[in-house]
Amino acid sequence: MMSFISNNNSNIKTVYGDGKGGTSKRKVVRGQQDRLRDITLLPEEDDQNPHLLTTTNISSSSSFFGTSHHPTASHGGDMIGKRRRFGSHLRHRRRQRLQQSLRLFVAAIFLLVFTTRVLYQRAYNKHHNRQSATAPKSRGFGQERDNGDDGSSDTSRRKYQPGQPLHHPGLEGHLLQPKVSPRRRRRIGRGGGDLAHSTPQDDSDSKSDTVERLQEDFQHAFDVTTERISANLDQGIRWVNPGMVPPLETGKRKPMLEVTKRNMIDLKVPKQKRRPFFTVSRPSTMAWQVEDQAKRKNDMRPDFVDYTQHRYHYPELLLEPPAILGQYPKLQPLRDLMNQWPQDELDHPPEIIPEVLMHFDHTQPEQLQVAKRFRDAKLPFKLINVPEVMEAGQKWTDDYLTVNFDGGYGTNGPPAEGTAEESVDNFFAFFVPHLWSVPQMGLPPTLNNDWTFARWSQHARYADRVGLSPHRPHFYWQAGVSRDERKESYDRWTFISRDLPSFSSPTETFFLFEPQQQKGIQCRFGERGVTAATHYDNGRNMVAMITGAKRYILSPPRECRKLGIVTKFGNAMYRHSMLNLGHMAYLNNSSNTTEGMPDEERAWLERAATAESLSTVLKAGEVLYIPSFWFHYIVGLQKNAQCNVRSGVDPEGDTYFGGKDDVMHQCDLDGMTR
């Protein structure tokens, strides 16, 4: 049935129904019904009756037809254009519906594939568990508890006591290996990979239980270590973890040295403790503070050595770099250096400390030009009487530094950022925290704590006052500024950039001779005995001693194979050695104190003892130049402050002392791929 509703003001009718029992709606004009019979328009529904198409007040002169003529006059062309527009609209709607259908289809396929893989993986894990139920259990983590030990006895925790290697010997087991999908496993079976390093995990319940046990044991070790640091206890000799030094034989592999971001395993912990075992909060009062209060009455001990005022013997000044390579600087075996002055004998140095590096006076222009020629010749040297370094040394009192680190925004610009690090003894084996995997590598060798600079400086004064033992806890304050700070306005500079203008300058200076390659300024505030492990820097390094003194042991790049450097790129210990060279004092010691030294550490120390090296004391007001890729091992002689800046990489090096090629290609004993 078809019904018509006439518009009083025009010849346009609203047609409801299609005459065939349908419900289509269309508008027609009297006299043109036949011509417009098949034109279907978009409906406008009435609010009261949605099934009724209402008419719009369109005049008979007809904006509806897009013309000002009378509707009875020449509507053929207008009707064709209108029909095309309506057809285009319908095609657009059909395309939209088709696209929506395709998206739903793709989502359904994805859901089907995902569900199939999950179900297949569950079935595979159940099958694997049934096969391994009767097999001998891997000697992985949790073996003590499976044998009846509940983990509460001292024997089950013994390997985690301070002074012992902080690693778990059973991490080679399958329980903590990366998960391998069935597809990956099939590809490995066809010869596409190494199955020995691709063993799948147990089912989710067993894996969760294993990780929980692992975290509990590491938490226990962490608590024991931090409590002993709080108590300021003597930790004894901490031997190196054999898994953290390169293999002595070619082809032998060390799992710890192969851990990178691609294969590292981390503990699953809540978000608020995303990375446990790397930071610790210290109580307001610690044992050393109580001891310090008791000893302040005696002030400084009588045998304290101020190395800024000690006696030194300097070599004759050279006006040109030697024509024959190797004549400067004079090197000698590391064993001889350590025998002449053992690392931890800070209260009994040689009466006159010999120096082998050139000391150029910064205030003498002709000597500064000679220093530039030594710098261009890629040879280490020292500058003395550097005015801005000496001025900074006068300014950087504990009060001044406390305000600039711990205070708010003031007249000296924004506060600088710094962090206190702590170690169970005086040895700081540096690493990259976000690349350190606790399940695979054990507890990290050092921790960050929540100290302010004021509290750190109090401990540094205490260390000088009591002559802190090398086996007691030590603390290190690290700070610096980014490379972009010098691009800010001067009022946004921290005190480090302000007080060392030659280091922060955007233009070339003697210390920053390639300013575009500057990577920022790094500052280290150390205390008596703090020892930084052997490492190298890519950039050409200018090291300024602001206050106090440090001993630097330098070795050329060609000695890389003798120093135990970790060469695996991406490993947390990359570019560093974990060897404490102070342990050379125990090589010829037949006492019981050396019974725990691992054979591999002894072998590495014997090898390191033959490395050609030099020793120099860097004092307040001096700057040391270290060429690219030269190794340096650093010992804090007293409370000190040091900042350094780098000027890009020297890719060529020296034909005699070596360079980049030696540390990148000739240093690798174990054949690991970078």
Side-chain angles (χ1 to χ4, degrees), residues 378-413:
K378 308 170 185 178
L379 299 174
F381 62 87
K382 290 201 293 186
L383 284 172
I384 61 175
N385 299 327
V386 182
E388 71 180 65
V389 178
M390 299 174 68
E391 292 174 6
Q394 295 293 324
K395 186 184 297 185
W396 286 20
T397 63
D398 286 342
D399 292 337
Y400 176 83
L401 294 173
T402 298
V403 170
N404 282 279
F405 277 117
D406 304 339
Y409 196 101
T411 57
N412 293 322

mmCIF file of all heavy atoms in Angstrom, residues 378-413:
data_model
loop_
_atom_site.group_PDB
_atom_site.id
_atom_site.type_symbol
_atom_site.label_atom_id
_atom_site.label_comp_id
_atom_site.label_asym_id
_atom_site.label_seq_id
_atom_site.Cartn_x
_atom_site.Cartn_y
_atom_site.Cartn_z
ATOM 1 N N LYS A 378 99.814 11.546 21.175
ATOM 2 C CA LYS A 378 99.038 10.486 21.848
ATOM 3 C C LYS A 378 99.807 9.866 23.003
ATOM 4 O O LYS A 378 99.783 8.644 23.219
ATOM 5 C CB LYS A 378 98.623 9.410 20.837
ATOM 6 C CG LYS A 378 97.934 9.971 19.605
ATOM 7 C CD LYS A 378 97.751 8.946 18.523
ATOM 8 C CE LYS A 378 97.170 9.581 17.256
ATOM 9 N NZ LYS A 378 97.021 8.621 16.155
ATOM 10 N N LEU A 379 100.465 10.715 23.777
ATOM 11 C CA LEU A 379 101.242 10.280 24.926
ATOM 12 C C LEU A 379 100.666 10.888 26.197
ATOM 13 O O LEU A 379 100.260 12.054 26.206
ATOM 14 C CB LEU A 379 102.710 10.695 24.773
ATOM 15 C CG LEU A 379 103.450 10.109 23.567
ATOM 16 C CD1 LEU A 379 104.841 10.725 23.448
ATOM 17 C CD2 LEU A 379 103.547 8.594 23.678
ATOM 18 N N PRO A 380 100.626 10.141 27.291
ATOM 19 C CA PRO A 380 100.103 10.691 28.546
ATOM 20 C C PRO A 380 101.078 11.689 29.174
ATOM 21 O O PRO A 380 102.298 11.576 29.030
ATOM 22 C CB PRO A 380 99.926 9.450 29.421
ATOM 23 C CG PRO A 380 100.917 8.463 28.885
ATOM 24 C CD PRO A 380 101.011 8.725 27.410
ATOM 25 N N PHE A 381 100.540 12.664 29.898
ATOM 26 C CA PHE A 381 101.343 13.674 30.600
ATOM 27 C C PHE A 381 100.450 14.336 31.637
ATOM 28 O O PHE A 381 99.242 14.055 31.729
ATOM 29 C CB PHE A 381 101.905 14.711 29.618
ATOM 30 C CG PHE A 381 100.846 15.494 28.893
ATOM 31 C CD1 PHE A 381 100.301 16.659 29.437
ATOM 32 C CD2 PHE A 381 100.360 15.067 27.663
ATOM 33 C CE1 PHE A 381 99.311 17.373 28.773
ATOM 34 C CE2 PHE A 381 99.371 15.774 26.994
ATOM 35 C CZ PHE A 381 98.847 16.927 27.553
ATOM 36 N N LYS A 382 101.059 15.247 32.410
ATOM 37 C CA LYS A 382 100.302 15.997 33.410
ATOM 38 C C LYS A 382 100.581 17.485 33.273
ATOM 39 O O LYS A 382 101.680 17.894 32.890
ATOM 40 C CB LYS A 382 100.648 15.525 34.825
ATOM 41 C CG LYS A 382 100.133 14.139 35.141
ATOM 42 C CD LYS A 382 100.031 13.889 36.639
ATOM 43 C CE LYS A 382 101.373 13.846 37.307
ATOM 44 N NZ LYS A 382 101.257 13.451 38.731
ATOM 45 N N LEU A 383 99.559 18.267 33.587
ATOM 46 C CA LEU A 383 99.681 19.718 33.687
ATOM 47 C C LEU A 383 99.556 20.103 35.145
ATOM 48 O O LEU A 383 98.665 19.616 35.853
ATOM 49 C CB LEU A 383 98.591 20.415 32.872
ATOM 50 C CG LEU A 383 98.752 20.450 31.353
ATOM 51 C CD1 LEU A 383 97.491 20.999 30.705
ATOM 52 C CD2 LEU A 383 99.948 21.294 30.959
ATOM 53 N N ILE A 384 100.429 20.991 35.601
ATOM 54 C CA ILE A 384 100.371 21.460 36.982
ATOM 55 C C ILE A 384 100.065 22.952 36.986
ATOM 56 O O ILE A 384 100.155 23.628 35.955
ATOM 57 C CB ILE A 384 101.702 21.181 37.719
ATOM 58 C CG1 ILE A 384 102.857 21.914 37.038
ATOM 59 C CG2 ILE A 384 101.980 19.679 37.760
ATOM 60 C CD1 ILE A 384 104.184 21.775 37.782
ATOM 61 N N ASN A 385 99.643 23.429 38.149
ATOM 62 C CA ASN A 385 99.323 24.857 38.327
ATOM 63 C C ASN A 385 98.254 25.320 37.329
ATOM 64 O O ASN A 385 98.409 26.358 36.683
ATOM 65 C CB ASN A 385 100.584 25.729 38.194
ATOM 66 C CG ASN A 385 101.636 25.400 39.237
ATOM 67 O OD1 ASN A 385 101.301 25.034 40.355
ATOM 68 N ND2 ASN A 385 102.898 25.515 38.870
ATOM 69 N N VAL A 386 97.191 24.574 37.228
ATOM 70 C CA VAL A 386 96.084 24.948 36.348
ATOM 71 C C VAL A 386 95.177 25.906 37.129
ATOM 72 O O VAL A 386 94.555 25.497 38.118
ATOM 73 C CB VAL A 386 95.304 23.711 35.880
ATOM 74 C CG1 VAL A 386 94.184 24.117 34.932
ATOM 75 C CG2 VAL A 386 96.249 22.717 35.210
ATOM 76 N N PRO A 387 95.096 27.181 36.732
ATOM 77 C CA PRO A 387 94.404 28.190 37.565
ATOM 78 C C PRO A 387 92.963 27.839 37.900
ATOM 79 O O PRO A 387 92.564 27.904 39.074
ATOM 80 C CB PRO A 387 94.500 29.462 36.712
ATOM 81 C CG PRO A 387 95.701 29.258 35.857
ATOM 82 C CD PRO A 387 95.740 27.793 35.561
ATOM 83 N N GLU A 388 92.145 27.483 36.919
ATOM 84 C CA GLU A 388 90.733 27.254 37.224
ATOM 85 C C GLU A 388 90.530 26.021 38.096
ATOM 86 O O GLU A 388 89.602 25.968 38.907
ATOM 87 C CB GLU A 388 89.910 27.139 35.952
ATOM 88 C CG GLU A 388 90.125 25.889 35.137
ATOM 89 C CD GLU A 388 89.266 25.869 33.876
ATOM 90 O OE1 GLU A 388 89.490 26.725 32.994
ATOM 91 O OE2 GLU A 388 88.368 25.010 33.802
ATOM 92 N N VAL A 389 91.417 25.025 37.968
ATOM 93 C CA VAL A 389 91.326 23.851 38.824
ATOM 94 C C VAL A 389 91.722 24.205 40.253
ATOM 95 O O VAL A 389 91.096 23.754 41.229
ATOM 96 C CB VAL A 389 92.208 22.716 38.280
ATOM 97 C CG1 VAL A 389 92.168 21.500 39.190
ATOM 98 C CG2 VAL A 389 91.753 22.320 36.874
ATOM 99 N N MET A 390 92.744 25.033 40.393
ATOM 100 C CA MET A 390 93.161 25.456 41.728
ATOM 101 C C MET A 390 92.097 26.333 42.379
ATOM 102 O O MET A 390 91.827 26.219 43.585
ATOM 103 C CB MET A 390 94.498 26.184 41.646
ATOM 104 C CG MET A 390 95.635 25.326 41.099
ATOM 105 S SD MET A 390 97.173 26.238 40.835
ATOM 106 C CE MET A 390 97.626 26.618 42.516
ATOM 107 N N GLU A 391 91.467 27.203 41.607
ATOM 108 C CA GLU A 391 90.397 28.038 42.152
ATOM 109 C C GLU A 391 89.205 27.193 42.583
ATOM 110 O O GLU A 391 88.595 27.436 43.633
ATOM 111 C CB GLU A 391 89.974 29.073 41.115
ATOM 112 C CG GLU A 391 91.025 30.124 40.808
ATOM 113 C CD GLU A 391 90.620 31.042 39.665
ATOM 114 O OE1 GLU A 391 89.457 30.915 39.203
ATOM 115 O OE2 GLU A 391 91.447 31.853 39.236
ATOM 116 N N ALA A 392 88.871 26.201 41.761
ATOM 117 C CA ALA A 392 87.782 25.316 42.147
ATOM 118 C C ALA A 392 88.122 24.556 43.420
ATOM 119 O O ALA A 392 87.256 24.335 44.282
ATOM 120 C CB ALA A 392 87.474 24.334 41.012
ATOM 121 N N GLY A 393 89.388 24.167 43.573
ATOM 122 C CA GLY A 393 89.797 23.466 44.786
ATOM 123 C C GLY A 393 89.633 24.321 46.029
ATOM 124 O O GLY A 393 89.302 23.807 47.106
ATOM 125 N N GLN A 394 89.880 25.625 45.903
ATOM 126 C CA GLN A 394 89.665 26.523 47.032
ATOM 127 C C GLN A 394 88.178 26.705 47.334
ATOM 128 O O GLN A 394 87.775 26.858 48.488
ATOM 129 C CB GLN A 394 90.308 27.881 46.735
ATOM 130 C CG GLN A 394 91.814 27.854 46.607
ATOM 131 C CD GLN A 394 92.502 27.518 47.924
ATOM 132 O OE1 GLN A 394 92.058 27.922 48.994
ATOM 133 N NE2 GLN A 394 93.587 26.761 47.840
ATOM 134 N N LYS A 395 87.362 26.647 46.304
ATOM 135 C CA LYS A 395 85.933 26.919 46.463
ATOM 136 C C LYS A 395 85.156 25.684 46.917
ATOM 137 O O LYS A 395 84.175 25.792 47.667
ATOM 138 C CB LYS A 395 85.373 27.423 45.133
ATOM 139 C CG LYS A 395 83.926 27.880 45.191
ATOM 140 C CD LYS A 395 83.419 28.269 43.815
ATOM 141 C CE LYS A 395 84.163 29.455 43.238
ATOM 142 N NZ LYS A 395 83.571 29.892 41.952
ATOM 143 N N TRP A 396 85.601 24.491 46.502
ATOM 144 C CA TRP A 396 84.819 23.279 46.740
ATOM 145 C C TRP A 396 85.026 22.740 48.150
ATOM 146 O O TRP A 396 85.562 21.643 48.352
ATOM 147 C CB TRP A 396 85.167 22.220 45.704
ATOM 148 C CG TRP A 396 84.598 22.514 44.344
ATOM 149 C CD1 TRP A 396 84.168 23.721 43.878
ATOM 150 C CD2 TRP A 396 84.412 21.588 43.279
ATOM 151 N NE1 TRP A 396 83.736 23.626 42.584
ATOM 152 C CE2 TRP A 396 83.865 22.318 42.188
ATOM 153 C CE3 TRP A 396 84.657 20.239 43.119
ATOM 154 C CZ2 TRP A 396 83.562 21.726 40.971
ATOM 155 C CZ3 TRP A 396 84.357 19.645 41.897
ATOM 156 C CH2 TRP A 396 83.812 20.383 40.844
ATOM 157 N N THR A 397 84.600 23.498 49.124
ATOM 158 C CA THR A 397 84.570 23.001 50.494
ATOM 159 C C THR A 397 83.351 22.107 50.678
ATOM 160 O O THR A 397 82.441 22.082 49.833
ATOM 161 C CB THR A 397 84.525 24.170 51.474
ATOM 162 O OG1 THR A 397 83.303 24.902 51.264
ATOM 163 C CG2 THR A 397 85.711 25.111 51.277
ATOM 164 N N ASP A 398 83.304 21.395 51.793
ATOM 165 C CA ASP A 398 82.157 20.528 52.047
ATOM 166 C C ASP A 398 80.869 21.326 52.150
ATOM 167 O O ASP A 398 79.807 20.876 51.687
ATOM 168 C CB ASP A 398 82.385 19.719 53.325
ATOM 169 C CG ASP A 398 83.394 18.596 53.120
ATOM 170 O OD1 ASP A 398 83.655 18.239 51.950
ATOM 171 O OD2 ASP A 398 83.923 18.074 54.120
ATOM 172 N N ASP A 399 80.941 22.511 52.760
ATOM 173 C CA ASP A 399 79.742 23.344 52.877
ATOM 174 C C ASP A 399 79.263 23.798 51.504
ATOM 175 O O ASP A 399 78.055 23.776 51.212
ATOM 176 C CB ASP A 399 80.024 24.552 53.774
ATOM 177 C CG ASP A 399 80.259 24.149 55.222
ATOM 178 O OD1 ASP A 399 79.801 23.057 55.613
ATOM 179 O OD2 ASP A 399 80.906 24.919 55.953
ATOM 180 N N TYR A 400 80.206 24.220 50.664
ATOM 181 C CA TYR A 400 79.852 24.686 49.317
ATOM 182 C C TYR A 400 79.226 23.557 48.501
ATOM 183 O O TYR A 400 78.189 23.735 47.843
ATOM 184 C CB TYR A 400 81.104 25.221 48.631
ATOM 185 C CG TYR A 400 80.919 25.651 47.199
ATOM 186 C CD1 TYR A 400 80.424 26.912 46.885
ATOM 187 C CD2 TYR A 400 81.263 24.806 46.139
ATOM 188 C CE1 TYR A 400 80.262 27.320 45.570
ATOM 189 C CE2 TYR A 400 81.107 25.195 44.823
ATOM 190 C CZ TYR A 400 80.609 26.450 44.546
ATOM 191 O OH TYR A 400 80.448 26.850 43.241
ATOM 192 N N LEU A 401 79.826 22.381 48.569
ATOM 193 C CA LEU A 401 79.312 21.245 47.804
ATOM 194 C C LEU A 401 77.974 20.759 48.354
ATOM 195 O O LEU A 401 77.099 20.345 47.590
ATOM 196 C CB LEU A 401 80.333 20.107 47.818
ATOM 197 C CG LEU A 401 81.657 20.397 47.100
ATOM 198 C CD1 LEU A 401 82.648 19.263 47.326
ATOM 199 C CD2 LEU A 401 81.438 20.610 45.613
ATOM 200 N N THR A 402 77.805 20.799 49.660
ATOM 201 C CA THR A 402 76.532 20.385 50.250
ATOM 202 C C THR A 402 75.392 21.259 49.762
ATOM 203 O O THR A 402 74.304 20.774 49.424
ATOM 204 C CB THR A 402 76.620 20.418 51.784
ATOM 205 O OG1 THR A 402 77.623 19.496 52.218
ATOM 206 C CG2 THR A 402 75.293 20.041 52.415
ATOM 207 N N VAL A 403 75.628 22.572 49.703
ATOM 208 C CA VAL A 403 74.595 23.488 49.216
ATOM 209 C C VAL A 403 74.259 23.190 47.763
ATOM 210 O O VAL A 403 73.090 23.167 47.362
ATOM 211 C CB VAL A 403 75.043 24.953 49.384
ATOM 212 C CG1 VAL A 403 74.092 25.896 48.656
ATOM 213 C CG2 VAL A 403 75.118 25.310 50.856
ATOM 214 N N ASN A 404 75.280 22.916 46.956
ATOM 215 C CA ASN A 404 75.052 22.735 45.522
ATOM 216 C C ASN A 404 74.535 21.347 45.162
ATOM 217 O O ASN A 404 73.980 21.168 44.071
ATOM 218 C CB ASN A 404 76.351 23.011 44.759
ATOM 219 C CG ASN A 404 76.627 24.484 44.603
ATOM 220 O OD1 ASN A 404 76.082 25.141 43.723
ATOM 221 N ND2 ASN A 404 77.476 25.028 45.475
ATOM 222 N N PHE A 405 74.710 20.382 46.043
ATOM 223 C CA PHE A 405 74.143 19.052 45.793
ATOM 224 C C PHE A 405 72.818 18.851 46.513
ATOM 225 O O PHE A 405 71.863 18.321 45.935
ATOM 226 C CB PHE A 405 75.127 17.955 46.230
ATOM 227 C CG PHE A 405 76.184 17.641 45.216
ATOM 228 C CD1 PHE A 405 77.523 17.850 45.497
ATOM 229 C CD2 PHE A 405 75.846 17.130 43.972
ATOM 230 C CE1 PHE A 405 78.511 17.545 44.562
ATOM 231 C CE2 PHE A 405 76.817 16.830 43.026
ATOM 232 C CZ PHE A 405 78.150 17.042 43.326
ATOM 233 N N ASP A 406 72.764 19.242 47.767
ATOM 234 C CA ASP A 406 71.598 18.939 48.594
ATOM 235 C C ASP A 406 70.617 20.092 48.695
ATOM 236 O O ASP A 406 69.468 19.888 49.089
ATOM 237 C CB ASP A 406 72.036 18.551 50.011
ATOM 238 C CG ASP A 406 73.008 17.388 50.013
ATOM 239 O OD1 ASP A 406 73.035 16.648 49.012
ATOM 240 O OD2 ASP A 406 73.740 17.233 51.002
ATOM 241 N N GLY A 407 71.056 21.326 48.370
ATOM 242 C CA GLY A 407 70.187 22.484 48.511
ATOM 243 C C GLY A 407 69.289 22.675 47.313
ATOM 244 O O GLY A 407 69.313 21.920 46.333
ATOM 245 N N GLY A 408 68.477 23.713 47.366
ATOM 246 C CA GLY A 408 67.571 24.016 46.267
ATOM 247 C C GLY A 408 68.203 24.960 45.266
ATOM 248 O O GLY A 408 69.408 25.222 45.285
ATOM 249 N N TYR A 409 67.372 25.503 44.400
ATOM 250 C CA TYR A 409 67.817 26.428 43.373
ATOM 251 C C TYR A 409 68.226 27.740 44.034
ATOM 252 O O TYR A 409 67.453 28.350 44.757
ATOM 253 C CB TYR A 409 66.683 26.671 42.370
ATOM 254 C CG TYR A 409 67.117 27.294 41.066
ATOM 255 C CD1 TYR A 409 67.269 26.522 39.926
ATOM 256 C CD2 TYR A 409 67.385 28.659 40.983
ATOM 257 C CE1 TYR A 409 67.669 27.080 38.726
ATOM 258 C CE2 TYR A 409 67.793 29.227 39.800
ATOM 259 C CZ TYR A 409 67.926 28.439 38.670
ATOM 260 O OH TYR A 409 68.329 29.005 37.496
ATOM 261 N N GLY A 410 69.450 28.170 43.813
ATOM 262 C CA GLY A 410 69.952 29.375 44.466
ATOM 263 C C GLY A 410 70.738 30.243 43.527
ATOM 264 O O GLY A 410 70.575 30.193 42.307
ATOM 265 N N THR A 411 71.631 31.039 44.099
ATOM 266 C CA THR A 411 72.419 31.976 43.299
ATOM 267 C C THR A 411 73.416 31.254 42.411
ATOM 268 O O THR A 411 73.893 31.815 41.429
ATOM 269 C CB THR A 411 73.162 32.944 44.226
ATOM 270 O OG1 THR A 411 73.973 32.189 45.144
ATOM 271 C CG2 THR A 411 72.178 33.779 45.033
ATOM 272 N N ASN A 412 73.762 30.021 42.750
ATOM 273 C CA ASN A 412 74.727 29.258 41.968
ATOM 274 C C ASN A 412 74.065 28.371 40.923
ATOM 275 O O ASN A 412 74.680 27.452 40.404
ATOM 276 C CB ASN A 412 75.589 28.397 42.904
ATOM 277 C CG ASN A 412 76.472 29.230 43.793
ATOM 278 O OD1 ASN A 412 77.003 30.256 43.363
ATOM 279 N ND2 ASN A 412 76.618 28.817 45.037
ATOM 280 N N GLY A 413 72.809 28.624 40.615
ATOM 281 C CA GLY A 413 72.114 27.838 39.614
ATOM 282 C C GLY A 413 71.417 26.643 40.229
ATOM 283 O O GLY A 413 71.356 26.480 41.456
#
